[in-house]
Amino acid sequence: MSSSLALSQQIQFLKEIDQLKSVVRKSPLIDQSRKENSAEHSWHLAMYALILKDTADEPINVERVIKMLLIHDIVEIDAGDHPIHETSDNSVQEATEQAAADRIFGLLPTEQGIELKSLWYEFEAAESADARFAKSLDRLQPLVHNIETQGGTWVEGKVSKEQVTSRYGSVISKGSKALWQVASKWVESHFSNR
Amino acid sequence: MSSSLALSQQIQFLKEIDQLKSVVRKSPLIDQSRKENSAEHSWHLAMYALILKDTADEPINVERVIKMLLIHDIVEIDAGDHPIHETSDNSVQEATEQAAADRIFGLLPTEQGIELKSLWYEFEAAESADARFAKSLDRLQPLVHNIETQGGTWVEGKVSKEQVTSRYGSVISKGSKALWQVASKWVESHFSNR
């Protein structure tokens, strides 16, 4: 049973993160009706983990991967979305995201806030098997959307096959060679038809 | 490791459920910029479960509750959203949703499809502790949004305090008396200020 103060902090956090629904990403929905937002993207990635769990190269805890993906973009409420193909000052970006994590997870009761922030750091570091698989799905999903929308953000950003292979392949293949094996075929076929 | 056929079915399912992002609910975002869609709503509910797990009356498996909430609205891709305050023919609605579950979960490899469909039926039946808690969060979240937006769908639908107490309270209190205890105070205060 939560204390009354804890419950009120938890509800405050849950109201605050409603804003993730207004963070618009570069990626289109598959029907191209609009760009995707980071909240529905997080839902989709949690579903990717649930469905594709057996494709991970290493033993993973799928429940931890799902939790990681549910929270992985929450810092964007303060720090904004930073697309793969955008060059920016990484150290400034990192500092902004860390401040965002401090503020937003800091709304929660102390212990719970620390637990989620540490899960977010684990995702960012991409050093555990769970985080590597989570990162790999976070790259795979926009790749699928780009393939399904005749190039999506790749067309907009004039991204080459070599850049896709390097920017997506390097991350996807670290979590799942099986997923990169099929995805690299889609990439090959996509660029050979252009 | 998934077989090549299984993986292709799984990817097809993950593309198909992108459509849940285009199912628009009655509930507003807290900033009132637009209505919420069912994909971002599902993400939000999974976060509610993760954050509020200790408020459940009975012992629950939070990971199962999260999975249940991630998939609970997927049938709406075919069957549409049916708001709490809308009267409709329940048996027709049930049949439509069951056909949707057959079709959409049927895209998956057989065993995985059966597993998720059975989790969805468990949610719908609301007879297990996990499902009761999931249902209670599914009622709490739109209540929070209505309170935060000076009445939201209650104003639009001319819904009375007694109707809110009956339609939300009955479901929330079956999963968590603690959550209904605080939510009923918000409801009381909301209607006394109108």
Side-chain angles (χ1 to χ4, degrees):
Chain A
M1 182 71 68
S2 294
S3 78
S4 163
L5 171 63
L7 185 51
S8 134
Q9 292 170 321
Q10 289 166 326
I11 296 286
Q12 193 49 49
F13 172 83
L14 290 168
K15 288 180 196 170
E16 185 76 14
I17 64 171
D18 198 52
Q19 295 174 68
L20 195 60
K21 300 169 189 171
S22 302
V23 175
V24 178
R25 293 165 44 81
K26 288 279 181 199
S27 292
L29 298 194
I30 290 178
D31 71 6
Q32 304 193 55
S33 56
R34 60 174 172 82
K35 303 282 185 186
E36 187 183 41
N37 72 58
S38 292
E40 61 198 4
H41 164 72
S42 300
W43 165 77
H44 210 173
L45 285 188
M47 288 299 304
Y48 266 68
L50 180 59
I51 299 300
L52 297 176
K53 57 184 167 26
D54 294 337
T55 67
D57 284 338
E58 300 166 273
I60 52 148
N61 178 333
V62 68
E63 286 83 12
R64 286 191 83 243
V65 174
I66 288 174
K67 289 177 196 172
M68 218 177 252
L69 289 167
L70 288 173
I71 64 158
H72 84 293
D73 271 347
I74 285 180
V75 295
E76 293 181 358
I77 289 171
D78 289 355
D81 176 46
H82 286 264
I84 308 173
H85 309 295
E86 191 179 83
T87 49
S88 57
D89 185 334
N90 280 337
S91 64
V92 172
Q93 176 60 12
E94 265 176 39
T96 313
E97 292 191 348
Q98 283 176 19
D102 287 345
R103 184 187 77 76
I104 303 169
F105 295 122
L107 296 171
L108 287 166
T110 312
E111 205 180 317
Q112 194 168 35
I114 290 172
E115 193 188 323
L116 291 192
K117 199 161 74 173
S118 127
L119 196 62
W120 176 74
Y121 271 111
E122 182 180 332
F123 172 80
E124 286 294 303
E127 281 166 4
S128 69
D130 289 348
R132 268 193 295 270
F133 187 57
K135 284 267 177 192
S136 127
L137 300 176
D138 190 29
R139 277 294 193 284
L140 179 66
Q141 187 254 12
L143 181 148
V144 170
H145 285 227
N146 281 340
I147 294 284
E148 291 295 308
T149 55
Q150 299 77 51
T153 62
W154 300 337
V155 176
E156 288 169 25
K158 300 194 175 66
V159 178
S160 69
K161 185 173 86 173
E162 289 65 34
Q163 286 168 324
V164 168
T165 301
S166 138
R167 294 175 193 171
Y168 293 75
S170 61
V171 177
I172 296 174
S173 62
K174 266 185 204 136
S176 169
K177 286 185 193 55
L179 290 179
W180 179 240
Q181 194 175 18
V182 294
S184 60
K185 282 184 196 152
W186 304 331
V187 171
E188 192 63 47
S189 157
H190 170 79
F191 282 97
S192 69
N193 290 331
R194 296 198 69 80
Chain B
M1 182 70 69
S2 294
S3 77
S4 162
L5 171 63
L7 185 51
S8 133
Q9 293 170 321
Q10 290 166 325
I11 296 287
Q12 192 50 47
F13 172 84
L14 290 168
K15 287 180 196 170
E16 186 75 13
I17 65 171
D18 198 52
Q19 295 175 67
L20 196 60
K21 300 169 189 171
S22 302
V23 175
V24 178
R25 293 164 45 80
K26 288 278 180 200
S27 293
L29 299 193
I30 291 179
D31 71 5
Q32 303 193 56
S33 55
R34 60 174 173 83
K35 303 282 186 188
E36 187 183 40
N37 72 59
S38 292
E40 62 197 3
H41 164 72
S42 301
W43 165 77
H44 211 172
L45 286 188
M47 288 300 304
Y48 267 67
L50 180 59
I51 298 300
L52 297 176
K53 58 183 168 22
D54 294 337
T55 66
D57 284 338
E58 301 165 273
I60 53 149
N61 177 332
V62 68
E63 285 83 12
R64 286 191 83 244
V65 174
I66 288 174
K67 288 177 196 172
M68 218 176 252
L69 289 167
L70 288 173
I71 65 158
H72 84 292
D73 271 347
I74 284 180
V75 295
E76 294 182 356
I77 289 171
D78 289 355
D81 177 46
H82 286 264
I84 307 173
H85 309 295
E86 192 178 81
T87 50
S88 58
D89 185 335
N90 281 337
S91 63
V92 172
Q93 176 60 13
E94 264 175 37
T96 313
E97 291 190 348
Q98 283 176 20
D102 287 345
R103 184 188 77 77
I104 303 169
F105 295 123
L107 296 171
L108 286 166
T110 312
E111 203 180 320
Q112 193 168 37
I114 289 172
E115 193 188 322
L116 290 193
K117 199 161 74 173
S118 126
L119 196 63
W120 175 75
Y121 271 111
E122 182 180 333
F123 172 80
E124 286 296 303
E127 282 166 3
S128 68
D130 289 348
R132 269 193 294 271
F133 187 58
K135 283 268 178 192
S136 130
L137 300 177
D138 190 30
R139 276 294 192 286
L140 178 67
Q141 186 256 10
L143 182 149
V144 170
H145 285 228
N146 281 340
I147 294 283
E148 291 294 309
T149 57
Q150 299 78 50
T153 62
W154 300 336
V155 175
E156 287 169 26
K158 299 195 175 61
V159 178
S160 69
K161 185 173 87 173
E162 290 64 34
Q163 286 169 324
V164 168
T165 301
S166 140
R167 294 175 193 171
Y168 293 76
S170 61
V171 178
I172 296 174
S173 61
K174 265 184 204 134
S176 169
K177 286 184 194 54
L179 290 180
W180 179 240
Q181 195 176 17
V182 294
S184 60
K185 283 184 196 154
W186 303 330
V187 171
E188 193 62 48
S189 156
H190 170 78
F191 282 96
S192 70
N193 290 332
R194 295 198 70 80

